[in-house]
Amino acid sequence: MSESSDIFAGSTLQTADLKPFQILAPDGRPVREELIPDLEIVEELYRRMARARYLDDKFMVLYKSQRLGNYAQFGGQEASQVASAFVLKAKDYVCPMYRNTAAMITHGWPIEKAILYWRGHPDGWRIPDDLNIMPIIISIPGQIVHAAGVALGIQAQNLGAVALSYIGEGGTSQGDFHAGVNFAAARKAPAVFIIENNGWAISVPRKVQSGVDYLMRRAEGYGIPGYLVDGNDALAVYTTAKKAVEDARVGNGPSIIEQLTYRVRPHTTGDDPKAYRTEDETNEWIANRDPIKRLKLFLEYEKRWNDDREVAMQAEIETEFTAALEAADHAPAPDPMALLDYTMIEPTWQLEEQRATLQARVAAEGGAA
Amino acid sequence: MSESSDIFAGSTLQTADLKPFQILAPDGRPVREELIPDLEIVEELYRRMARARYLDDKFMVLYKSQRLGNYAQFGGQEASQVASAFVLKAKDYVCPMYRNTAAMITHGWPIEKAILYWRGHPDGWRIPDDLNIMPIIISIPGQIVHAAGVALGIQAQNLGAVALSYIGEGGTSQGDFHAGVNFAAARKAPAVFIIENNGWAISVPRKVQSGVDYLMRRAEGYGIPGYLVDGNDALAVYTTAKKAVEDARVGNGPSIIEQLTYRVRPHTTGDDPKAYRTEDETNEWIANRDPIKRLKLFLEYEKRWNDDREVAMQAEIETEFTAALEAADHAPAPDPMALLDYTMIEPTWQLEEQRATLQARVAAEGGAA
Amino acid sequence: MTQVIDKPVGQQETRPMTMAAALTDAMDVALTRDPKVIMYGEDVGRLGGVYRITTGLQAKHGEARVFDSPLSEAAIMGTAIGAAAVGMRPVVEFQFGGFMMPAFDHIFSHVSRYRYRSRGRWKTPLVVRFPVGGGLGLLEQHADSPEAYLMHTPGIKIIYPSNPYDAKGLLLAAIESDDPVFCFETIKLYRDPKLRQDVPTGYYTVPLGKARIAREGTDVTIIAYGGMVQPAEAAAEAAAQANVSCEVIDLRSIVPLDIDTIINSVQKTGRAIVVHEAVRTGGVGAEIAALIQEKAFYSLEAPIERVTSFDTMPSPFNALNHFSRPEAHHIAEAIKKVLSA
Amino acid sequence: MTQVIDKPVGQQETRPMTMAAALTDAMDVALTRDPKVIMYGEDVGRLGGVYRITTGLQAKHGEARVFDSPLSEAAIMGTAIGAAAVGMRPVVEFQFGGFMMPAFDHIFSHVSRYRYRSRGRWKTPLVVRFPVGGGLGLLEQHADSPEAYLMHTPGIKIIYPSNPYDAKGLLLAAIESDDPVFCFETIKLYRDPKLRQDVPTGYYTVPLGKARIAREGTDVTIIAYGGMVQPAEAAAEAAAQANVSCEVIDLRSIVPLDIDTIINSVQKTGRAIVVHEAVRTGGVGAEIAALIQEKAFYSLEAPIERVTSFDTMPSPFNALNHFSRPEAHHIAEAIKKVLSA
Ligand SMILES: Cc1ncc(C[n+]2csc(CCOP(=O)(O)OP(=O)(O)O)c2C)c(N)n1
Ligand SMILES: Cc1ncc(C[n+]2csc(CCOP(=O)(O)OP(=O)(O)O)c2C)c(N)n1
Ligand SMILES: [Mg+2]
Ligand SMILES: [Mg+2]
């Protein structure tokens, strides 16, 4: 692919052919035996991915019965999110976007909070005090720049932590993707940027976003490592994220990891992909490249898994989720004052006036305020 | 420099070592004899670069005597601007930034207009009807995105033209650099993006902007060619720009060209570089790497140039400039209504009211309106 | 309820349309009439936009004229400027109003000034469309109403339709305008069945800068636009029960602003309320209040009231939306207030 | 001419300072007091910023705390949010006010909402400083006054000093504020020798939201801020010759806005003029006019006047600047107008 014009000494064009890094083939067989992590870890990854999948399935059900708002599903991207967030320590920060529920619960977000968040309940918006998760960002791709800033703050305070941020392949077309990554790279700040290339930005296919074959080639332009990874191979994701995070932690600066995966589900629960892509394409990924199935097959080959364990695990997952749902269902009705709380630490008189208006409106409705 | 980790099949990091493309060495000797363009062209380039230098020198003098506003000098970057804009046809578009006076006059901007522009005179802001030069952009780097749009318009109307835009190396850190280049690359629109890397963004040295060695490596991330060029070698600039422009014209899409040059003069006439860089650094460029001297030496070796021709040329340049200055000096005093003209094609009533206010104010001052 | 004025005489064929359908139809007409019109944005091609307002246009007019762009509002806006300058008439879409901000440098620094900057050499006849407003329990940032940012930015026009007929006519006028125009489309109105009305299928325009008197009245003037016209009308209807006669003005466009209609009305009623969904401080309501007191000072019998959202983020808390986003009963309170002043 | 109020009692040492020097001193004090304070932006390190407001700070406090950033306002703003959230107190600089727009998504979508969005988990105590205003014959885009865009954006504060004492005290209060603050610095005032005054060399703050009565008066209230305070004072002085007594209010901060001082004054004078350099439509003047008529309706004896720049690009035409940018004699006309109403 390299343009070796003999005239232009200094020209470049996609100088290296790239293949996504894999440890497990889609059928679960190791292709890089020597890189298999400790099997305890593999098992734990499997459990957490299964747990995430269960949540994603349940959220769809809750949405359909109007017990959840419009929700951005991650189903099919469990390896990509879980196996990467899994490498973090508690002191590390996740800077999430809307599709990162799996990464967030992996970093410790309580499922109950996730339910409340996607119900638009104030208690869901509150990030628990001990959790280093930044607010979910909807305006694409603010989180990338915030992550660079978190990394700057980590660096300045010598916290020994890392900021991990995610972005969709569509989001990489935004100017801020560039501005944020470049800033972090220029200052060697401890950030890791994961591009979850799930093939689609709502209805827009990957190829519309850019003329380049792989988006991690952008790393070349920042002087930082870029990794191309099979994003449905949990072990490849884990291994790469671990390297990138530890590199960042020791002061080697940021990396970009492109994880090739697929959004097998609609963009959000409100979307219908039939309008823009074939079911065949989707079904192929579901049938042959499911990240959870792949890991399970591997564990089965390794004799680390069987039906009994599966059944027990699923029961555990269900119990946990059911308890979380119950807790969420019992959350008090949102306090209407939440509309104005937290706008400012020192509210303006205008906000105080509006608070009085709000109180009056609530009272008129027979509310509590 | 390439990171050939045997673990990560898909990793990249600055895979190729790069050297700037050169045709002439700094001493004027050809290093790529076979690539010397027609000597007529070389002579014309020399004349135009000398003309540009003369203007830049004069503008400094005019500024000092308060006959010009604060002006962004290009002195030292003549090869970079003149030899690139020179490859354009009249139907091609230049999307300039504030430092591109040399490129603009090369594409046909009358010197008289340039003087008026930098005097803040309305007649200088008006771009003549037959000239395909877009407005000078100050907010960095709007022109890059506009160029992508001009290229889109060219493509849609099959105009067979190309949009050429310039940006400083500092400007490449902006999000919009990325958004604009990526858009053009994704649509294979006929645009060429020249990074004039003159070492400094006001007081900020190149290395602060990014961790990468050469900014043209960004091209890799858009799947387009990137060229690294000795920006003080007019023939290398010319040859590269020609290739990039003709590639764009025939539908091969955009390129990024990084031209290594140096801002030997202050950022603008109002700046004093002593505050942030050594005079040695600057003097080295002036003494050993001046683009005009290099071309002259070459022409002299080739026996295409001598003192008589030099004297005659300088006289011509002076005559032209003097006439332009005279014309500019005789431009009518700016019509105060220029303050509101051209804000809207269909002005709002507010603008009409303000027009009346303006008229009254002008009248009160004994003005013409 | 919605009265249509300015209906072109002699216009024959009509079809019942929602606001969404009327907007789609406007673009179809524009694409058909003028080969310089192109449309792009995120998801506008195959999908027809997340609200399906460009549905069918790519299929009918081809991928060269209606296409998906990379995900970058700055690129969408900035390239529209360049393309418009060299002869096209781009009609581009942002996916939501709140997502215009990555493009804001191109709005503030460029689209507003490109013509001025070149002293008329380059004009930028382009239209930017986007859904705005809340009340639908969507995610955060899907309910913003950023018109005041644009109103404070010279050189551009702003349309804000409240019904299908106006939507089509205003959008066609916007596409025809040589000044750049921003088109605010209230999500809540897109498919509101109450608004469905007979709209001419052919070409017509509704002139920019002419407000519509949605309801005549003599006691209080209520000034609204977009999604706030309905609650204003509802409040007026309710007030009528109590023998209070409200005039409801639907601005249709914010720039140009039909000051004559506003002032005439306030001179008659002596009392004014401005309603908008955007946050209060520094909103369009402030400008209109400032203008009214400037131009109808001696007619005013009560302070001008503003009914707006609170000065905070548009609520992502589904259950609480209705406490902040103006509703008919909030306007009713304002009516009481201006009457008791 | 400039009266200083709120001078902390017992403050001993002072030094004569221009506004530029006072701002530099404020930052020096902040860097010395609080290790969490860091400063970055374009050219702020070695050069000390294009207006040299950060001069000497890198040399004194080190490159780790005062540094040049890549040329990207979005990166500057966005990283300041992240860094502030995890414990720093960034004080960042945009090179000019008009250049904040590439960062506007981070302003509109993020810095204003980050705390709200996390329901208090993350706060963003940061300050963004930048030079604004014109009258100096600089290039285009070097004379903008974008405060109205920020005023309409909830969750942030805006300071706008008019003299050295306030500049230092407001900036220190801003750095201490746990809410994000935007600091507008009028270029024309930076080194205005008329403003040079004795300023305490130590730590002190001027509280945000308390306006300064720059001149007492009884006939007309003139509300101004930043670079407009001087022309307002000059107009008041001229009016005094004709026995018209003007009260001049220097707002000091736009958010919070000292509405009490404004309303008290208008209740006394019955006449109000708001002056700003920003374009007229949708400006801060509209909000203040709207508030005055809301809260002092029955005291008003004339329509509130606005003296502002025209609704167009701040003039790049050096010779013409003074026709648009408010000057004392424009304010004088407004005084006549409100008196003759
Ligand atoms: C600034 C901005 N513009 C537009 C949108 C609307 N939008 C939401 S999701 C989406 C597609 C994102 O695709 P991608 O980045 O690939 O992430 P994915 O949803 O596939 O995870 C768009 C355009 C947005 N959220 N923010
Ligand atoms: C959006 C924006 N931010 C800041 C500036 C102020 N500024 C003017 S020139 C300059 C440095 C530009 O350096 P570079 O891009 O290398 O171009 P050069 O001046 O060296 O040609 C800066 C920061 C600007 N013009 N626009
Ligand atoms: Mg995607
Ligand atoms: Mg430079």
Side-chain angles (χ1 to χ4, degrees):
Chain A
M1 263 268 241
S2 124
E3 152 147 331
S4 65
S5 156
D6 39 322
I7 296 192
F8 296 98
S11 76
T12 57
L13 179 58
Q14 301 188 20
T15 34
D17 270 350
L18 293 174
K19 279 206 186 56
F21 174 51
Q22 254 185 4
I23 294 181
L24 299 181
D27 64 4
R29 300 282 177 186
V31 291
R32 302 288 296 278
E33 195 85 51
E34 74 283 13
L35 297 176
I36 306 285
D38 196 296
L39 292 182
E40 298 289 319
I41 288 174
V42 181
E43 247 186 55
E44 184 60 21
L45 284 174
Y46 176 67
R47 285 177 186 283
R48 287 175 176 244
M49 285 163 59
R51 171 176 179 256
R53 171 71 56 86
Y54 185 91
L55 178 149
D56 203 56
D57 289 340
K58 277 291 175 189
F59 272 24
M60 186 62 170
V61 174
L62 289 174
Y63 170 78
K64 287 205 169 133
S65 56
Q66 301 189 311
R67 295 172 67 198
L68 204 76
N70 193 16
Y71 158 69
Q73 294 159 280
F74 55 77
Q77 299 176 215
E78 291 85 357
S80 170
Q81 291 188 29
V82 172
S84 52
F86 185 74
V87 310
L88 298 179
K89 307 186 180 188
K91 67 179 169 186
D92 295 331
Y93 293 82
V94 171
C95 301
M97 56 180 266
Y98 52 84
R99 201 180 300 292
N100 291 138
T101 303
M104 292 171 73
I105 62 169
T106 304
H107 201 49
W109 202 29
I111 290 175
E112 176 194 342
K113 294 285 182 191
I115 297 168
L116 289 171
Y117 176 90
W118 290 103
R119 282 185 176 168
H121 189 294
D123 292 356
W125 287 68
R126 169 81 196 190
I127 296 162
D129 275 338
D130 50 347
L131 254 188
N132 282 345
I133 296 182
M134 311 311 286
I136 295 176
I137 298 299
I138 310 281
S139 179
I140 298 169
Q143 73 279 3
I144 293 292
V145 194
H146 305 158
V150 168
L152 183 72
I154 290 170
Q155 210 175 28
Q157 298 167 95
N158 256 312
L159 302 180
V162 173
L164 172 62
S165 193
Y166 294 86
I167 183 169
E169 86 295 340
T172 64
S173 299
Q174 286 280 29
D176 269 12
F177 170 75
H178 170 74
V181 174
N182 185 54
F183 187 100
R187 299 200 63 82
K188 278 189 175 282
V192 173
F193 303 102
I194 291 183
I195 302 172
E196 284 198 85
N197 176 353
N198 63 6
W200 294 89
I202 309 184
S203 74
V204 179
R206 176 27 271 269
K207 66 175 189 302
V208 167
Q209 299 297 339
S210 175
V212 76
D213 55 353
Y214 296 116
L215 296 161
M216 40 67 76
R217 291 199 193 270
R218 303 265 166 87
E220 184 91 0
Y222 306 116
I224 60 172
Y227 301 101
L228 183 67
V229 178
D230 180 337
N232 282 10
D233 175 355
L235 304 190
V237 169
Y238 168 83
T239 305
T240 312
K242 205 171 158 64
K243 171 164 171 56
V245 165
E246 292 316 318
D247 275 353
R249 196 186 305 284
V250 300
N252 291 340
S255 316
I256 293 176
I257 306 174
E258 178 175 7
Q259 297 173 175
L260 302 175
T261 178
Y262 189 83
R263 204 197 73 214
V264 296
R265 302 191 166 181
H267 172 64
T268 63
T269 41
D271 173 47
D272 178 6
K274 280 200 214 77
Y276 51 81
R277 69 183 186 189
T278 66
E279 289 189 62
D280 283 359
E281 178 183 305
T282 313
N283 288 335
E284 200 275 325
W285 280 85
I286 294 175
N288 303 327
R289 302 201 237 174
D290 185 81
I292 298 183
K293 209 189 293 172
R294 187 185 312 196
L295 207 56
K296 189 175 175 199
L297 284 170
F298 169 72
L299 285 171
E300 284 170 354
Y301 297 137
E302 297 287 327
K303 307 271 180 285
R304 299 281 298 206
W305 206 250
N306 58 35
D307 285 357
D308 288 353
R309 299 192 72 172
E310 179 74 20
V311 169
M313 178 192 77
Q314 291 294 351
E316 258 175 53
I317 288 171
E318 193 181 325
T319 307
E320 182 199 21
F321 187 88
T322 309
L325 179 60
E326 189 134 30
D329 286 345
H330 283 93
D335 175 1
M337 299 324 283
L339 282 173
L340 288 172
D341 288 343
Y342 299 109
T343 303
M344 297 185 89
I345 293 174
E346 297 169 313
T348 59
W349 61 262
Q350 290 97 326
L351 278 167
E352 298 295 5
E353 274 191 9
Q354 291 164 23
R355 211 175 168 78
T357 303
L358 175 55
Q359 248 147 359
R361 285 181 186 172
V362 172
E365 268 205 14
Chain B
M1 262 268 237
S2 126
E3 151 147 333
S4 66
S5 156
D6 38 323
I7 294 191
F8 296 97
S11 77
T12 57
L13 179 56
Q14 301 189 20
T15 34
D17 270 352
L18 293 173
K19 280 207 183 55
F21 174 51
Q22 255 185 4
I23 295 181
L24 299 181
D27 63 5
R29 300 282 179 188
V31 290
R32 302 289 295 278
E33 196 84 53
E34 75 283 12
L35 297 177
I36 307 284
D38 195 295
L39 291 182
E40 297 289 318
I41 287 173
V42 181
E43 246 187 54
E44 184 59 22
L45 284 174
Y46 176 66
R47 284 177 186 282
R48 287 175 177 244
M49 284 163 58
R51 171 176 180 255
R53 171 71 55 91
Y54 185 91
L55 177 149
D56 203 56
D57 289 341
K58 278 290 175 190
F59 272 25
M60 186 62 170
V61 174
L62 289 174
Y63 170 78
K64 288 206 168 131
S65 57
Q66 300 189 310
R67 295 172 68 199
L68 205 74
N70 193 16
Y71 157 70
Q73 294 158 281
F74 55 78
Q77 300 176 215
E78 291 86 356
S80 171
Q81 291 188 29
V82 172
S84 52
F86 184 74
V87 309
L88 298 180
K89 306 185 180 190
K91 67 178 169 184
D92 295 331
Y93 293 83
V94 171
C95 300
M97 56 180 267
Y98 52 84
R99 200 178 300 291
N100 292 137
T101 303
M104 291 171 74
I105 62 169
T106 303
H107 201 48
W109 201 29
I111 290 175
E112 176 194 343
K113 294 286 182 191
I115 297 169
L116 289 170
Y117 176 90
W118 290 103
R119 281 183 176 171
H121 189 293
D123 292 356
W125 287 67
R126 169 81 194 191
I127 296 161
D129 275 339
D130 51 345
L131 254 187
N132 282 345
I133 296 182
M134 311 313 286
I136 295 176
I137 297 298
I138 309 282
S139 178
I140 297 169
Q143 74 279 4
I144 293 292
V145 194
H146 305 157
V150 169
L152 183 72
I154 290 169
Q155 210 176 27
Q157 296 166 96
N158 257 310
L159 301 180
V162 173
L164 173 62
S165 192
Y166 294 86
I167 183 169
E169 87 294 340
T172 64
S173 300
Q174 286 281 27
D176 270 12
F177 170 74
H178 170 74
V181 174
N182 185 54
F183 186 100
R187 300 201 63 81
K188 278 188 173 287
V192 173
F193 304 102
I194 290 183
I195 302 172
E196 285 199 85
N197 177 353
N198 63 6
W200 294 89
I202 310 183
S203 74
V204 179
R206 180 20 275 267
K207 67 174 189 302
V208 168
Q209 299 297 339
S210 176
V212 77
D213 55 355
Y214 296 117
L215 296 161
M216 40 67 76
R217 291 198 194 268
R218 303 266 166 88
E220 183 93 0
Y222 307 116
I224 60 173
Y227 301 101
L228 184 67
V229 177
D230 180 334
N232 282 8
D233 174 355
L235 304 189
V237 169
Y238 167 83
T239 305
T240 311
K242 204 169 159 66
K243 171 166 172 54
V245 165
E246 293 316 318
D247 274 354
R249 196 185 304 284
V250 300
N252 291 341
S255 315
I256 293 176
I257 305 174
E258 179 173 5
Q259 296 173 177
L260 301 175
T261 179
Y262 189 83
R263 204 197 72 215
V264 296
R265 302 191 164 181
H267 171 64
T268 63
T269 41
D271 172 48
D272 179 6
K274 280 200 214 78
Y276 51 82
R277 69 183 187 189
T278 67
E279 289 189 63
D280 283 358
E281 178 182 304
T282 313
N283 288 335
E284 200 275 324
W285 280 84
I286 294 174
N288 303 325
R289 302 201 239 174
D290 185 80
I292 299 182
K293 207 189 296 172
R294 185 184 314 195
L295 208 56
K296 189 175 177 202
L297 285 170
F298 169 72
L299 285 170
E300 285 169 355
Y301 297 137
E302 297 286 327
K303 305 273 180 284
R304 298 280 298 206
W305 206 251
N306 57 35
D307 285 355
D308 288 353
R309 299 192 71 174
E310 180 74 19
V311 168
M313 178 191 77
Q314 291 293 353
E316 257 175 55
I317 288 172
E318 193 179 327
T319 308
E320 181 200 22
F321 187 88
T322 309
L325 180 59
E326 189 133 28
D329 285 346
H330 283 93
D335 175 1
M337 299 323 283
L339 282 174
L340 289 172
D341 289 341
Y342 300 109
T343 303
M344 297 185 89
I345 294 175
E346 297 169 313
T348 59
W349 61 263
Q350 290 98 326
L351 279 166
E352 297 296 4
E353 274 191 9
Q354 292 164 22
R355 211 174 168 78
T357 304
L358 175 55
Q359 248 147 359
R361 287 180 185 172
V362 172
E365 270 206 13
Chain C
M1 179 94 296
T2 306
Q3 282 175 257
V4 172
I5 58 163
D6 297 328
K7 195 160 212 153
V9 227
Q11 179 74 47
Q12 300 299 347
E13 254 192 275
T14 66
R15 190 159 49 80
M17 296 187 200
T18 59
M19 197 158 109
L23 289 162
T24 309
D25 196 48
M27 289 190 278
D28 187 19
V29 168
L31 283 160
T32 306
R33 277 170 59 95
D34 186 349
K36 300 293 188 193
V37 173
I38 52 172
M39 277 173 202
Y40 56 102
E42 296 151 11
D43 301 286
V44 303
R46 170 82 72 98
L47 181 63
V50 289
Y51 285 106
R52 312 296 154 91
I53 308 301
T54 55
T55 289
L57 298 179
Q58 183 179 73
K60 180 165 171 189
H61 300 280
E63 289 196 41
R65 298 187 62 203
V66 181
F67 56 89
D68 291 326
S69 71
L71 201 171
S72 165
E73 290 77 15
I76 293 167
M77 186 75 241
T79 57
I81 293 171
V86 300
M88 305 305 291
R89 298 191 93 87
V91 180
V92 297
E93 181 179 297
F94 294 151
Q95 204 153 88
F96 284 85
F99 297 150
M100 83 165 58
M101 298 311 171
F104 207 70
D105 190 40
H106 285 282
I107 297 171
F108 173 83
S109 303
H110 304 309
V111 76
S112 68
R113 305 178 180 191
Y114 213 72
R115 181 166 176 269
Y116 187 89
R117 188 175 283 155
S118 65
R119 290 196 51 78
R121 172 63 206 284
W122 305 112
K123 61 180 181 185
T124 53
L126 58 85
V127 175
V128 188
R129 306 172 32 250
F130 39 83
V132 293
L136 291 124
L138 298 180
L139 275 187
E140 198 218 337
Q141 293 225 276
H142 290 71
D144 291 299
S145 299
E147 61 270 19
Y149 298 99
L150 297 178
M151 184 190 215
H152 188 54
T153 307
I156 59 185
K157 296 176 179 168
I158 304 171
I159 60 174
Y160 221 127
S162 74
N163 62 66
Y165 179 84
D166 283 0
K168 179 172 173 183
L170 289 169
L171 182 51
L172 280 167
I175 295 172
E176 213 180 45
S177 163
D178 277 340
D179 291 310
V181 185
F182 287 72
C183 175
F184 284 69
E185 303 173 0
T186 306
I187 303 169
K188 243 190 151 198
L189 303 185
Y190 271 148
R191 293 183 166 79
D192 183 340
K194 288 192 301 300
L195 287 179
R196 186 189 294 269
Q197 66 183 164
D198 284 335
V199 173
T201 53
Y203 179 81
Y204 71 94
T205 58
V206 169
L208 308 191
K210 250 196 100 13
R212 184 176 68 93
I213 297 186
R215 179 188 182 105
E216 291 194 19
T218 52
D219 299 333
V220 177
T221 301
I222 309 176
I223 298 148
Y225 50 89
M228 291 294 107
V229 174
Q230 279 190 43
E233 288 177 312
E237 185 64 34
Q241 311 299 315
N243 278 322
V244 174
S245 163
C246 296
E247 181 143 303
V248 177
I249 298 179
D250 172 1
L251 288 179
R252 283 174 161 168
S253 63
I254 310 273
V255 181
L257 182 73
D258 186 350
I259 190 70
D260 294 341
T261 297
I262 295 171
I263 297 304
N264 286 341
S265 178
V266 176
Q267 277 166 348
K268 175 173 66 176
T269 62
R271 295 177 156 88
I273 298 168
V274 195
V275 188
H276 58 66
E277 190 172 344
V279 300
R280 183 188 200 78
T281 298
V284 167
E287 177 64 31
I288 293 176
L291 289 172
I292 292 174
Q293 69 83 33
E294 223 166 283
K295 296 183 187 291
F297 185 77
Y298 299 103
S299 308
L300 277 175
E301 287 169 44
I304 304 148
E305 277 293 307
R306 290 183 278 169
V307 182
T308 71
S309 290
F310 298 137
D311 282 327
T312 189
M313 177 157 95
S315 169
F317 307 134
N318 309 346
L320 308 175
N321 267 323
H322 63 290
F323 286 115
S324 175
R325 187 176 179 271
E327 307 228 328
H329 66 101
H330 305 155
I331 303 170
E333 276 165 44
I335 294 173
K336 268 189 226 137
K337 199 159 167 200
V338 294
L339 283 170
S340 66
Chain D
M1 178 94 299
T2 305
Q3 282 176 257
V4 172
I5 58 163
D6 297 329
K7 195 159 212 156
V9 228
Q11 180 74 47
Q12 300 298 347
E13 254 191 276
T14 66
R15 189 157 53 80
M17 298 188 200
T18 58
M19 197 159 110
L23 289 163
T24 309
D25 196 49
M27 289 190 279
D28 187 20
V29 169
L31 283 160
T32 306
R33 277 170 60 93
D34 185 349
K36 299 293 187 192
V37 172
I38 52 173
M39 277 173 203
Y40 56 102
E42 296 151 12
D43 300 287
V44 303
R46 170 81 73 98
L47 180 64
V50 289
Y51 286 105
R52 311 295 154 91
I53 308 301
T54 55
T55 288
L57 299 179
Q58 183 180 71
K60 180 163 172 192
H61 300 280
E63 289 197 41
R65 298 188 62 203
V66 181
F67 55 89
D68 291 326
S69 70
L71 201 171
S72 165
E73 290 77 14
I76 293 168
M77 185 75 242
T79 58
I81 294 170
V86 301
M88 305 306 291
R89 297 190 93 87
V91 179
V92 297
E93 180 179 298
F94 294 152
Q95 204 153 88
F96 284 86
F99 297 150
M100 83 166 58
M101 297 310 170
F104 207 70
D105 190 40
H106 285 283
I107 297 171
F108 173 84
S109 304
H110 303 311
V111 76
S112 68
R113 305 178 180 191
Y114 212 72
R115 181 167 176 269
Y116 187 89
R117 189 175 281 155
S118 65
R119 290 194 53 77
R121 171 62 205 282
W122 305 113
K123 61 179 182 187
T124 54
L126 57 87
V127 175
V128 187
R129 306 172 32 251
F130 38 84
V132 292
L136 292 124
L138 299 180
L139 275 187
E140 197 217 338
Q141 292 226 274
H142 290 72
D144 292 298
S145 299
E147 63 269 18
Y149 297 98
L150 296 177
M151 185 190 213
H152 188 53
T153 306
I156 59 185
K157 295 176 179 169
I158 303 172
I159 60 175
Y160 222 128
S162 74
N163 62 67
Y165 179 84
D166 284 0
K168 179 171 174 184
L170 289 170
L171 181 52
L172 280 168
I175 295 172
E176 212 181 48
S177 163
D178 277 340
D179 290 309
V181 185
F182 287 72
C183 174
F184 285 69
E185 302 173 1
T186 306
I187 303 169
K188 239 187 155 202
L189 303 185
Y190 271 148
R191 293 184 166 77
D192 183 341
K194 290 192 302 300
L195 287 180
R196 186 188 294 268
Q197 66 183 164
D198 284 335
V199 173
T201 53
Y203 180 81
Y204 70 95
T205 59
V206 169
L208 309 191
K210 249 194 104 9
R212 184 176 67 93
I213 296 184
R215 179 189 184 104
E216 289 194 21
T218 50
D219 299 333
V220 177
T221 301
I222 309 177
I223 299 148
Y225 50 88
M228 292 295 106
V229 174
Q230 280 191 41
E233 287 177 313
E237 185 64 34
Q241 311 299 314
N243 278 323
V244 174
S245 162
C246 295
E247 180 142 305
V248 177
I249 298 179
D250 172 1
L251 288 180
R252 283 176 163 167
S253 64
I254 311 273
V255 181
L257 182 74
D258 186 350
I259 189 69
D260 294 341
T261 297
I262 295 172
I263 297 303
N264 286 340
S265 178
V266 176
Q267 276 165 351
K268 174 172 66 177
T269 62
R271 296 178 158 85
I273 297 168
V274 194
V275 188
H276 59 67
E277 190 171 345
V279 300
R280 183 187 200 77
T281 298
V284 167
E287 178 64 31
I288 293 175
L291 289 172
I292 292 175
Q293 69 83 33
E294 221 166 284
K295 297 185 187 290
F297 186 78
Y298 299 102
S299 308
L300 278 176
E301 288 168 45
I304 304 147
E305 278 292 307
R306 290 184 277 169
V307 182
T308 70
S309 290
F310 298 136
D311 283 328
T312 189
M313 178 157 94
S315 170
F317 307 134
N318 309 346
L320 307 176
N321 267 324
H322 63 291
F323 286 115
S324 175
R325 187 175 180 273
E327 306 228 328
H329 66 102
H330 304 154
I331 302 171
E333 276 165 46
I335 295 173
K336 269 191 225 135
K337 200 159 166 202
V338 294
L339 284 170
S340 65

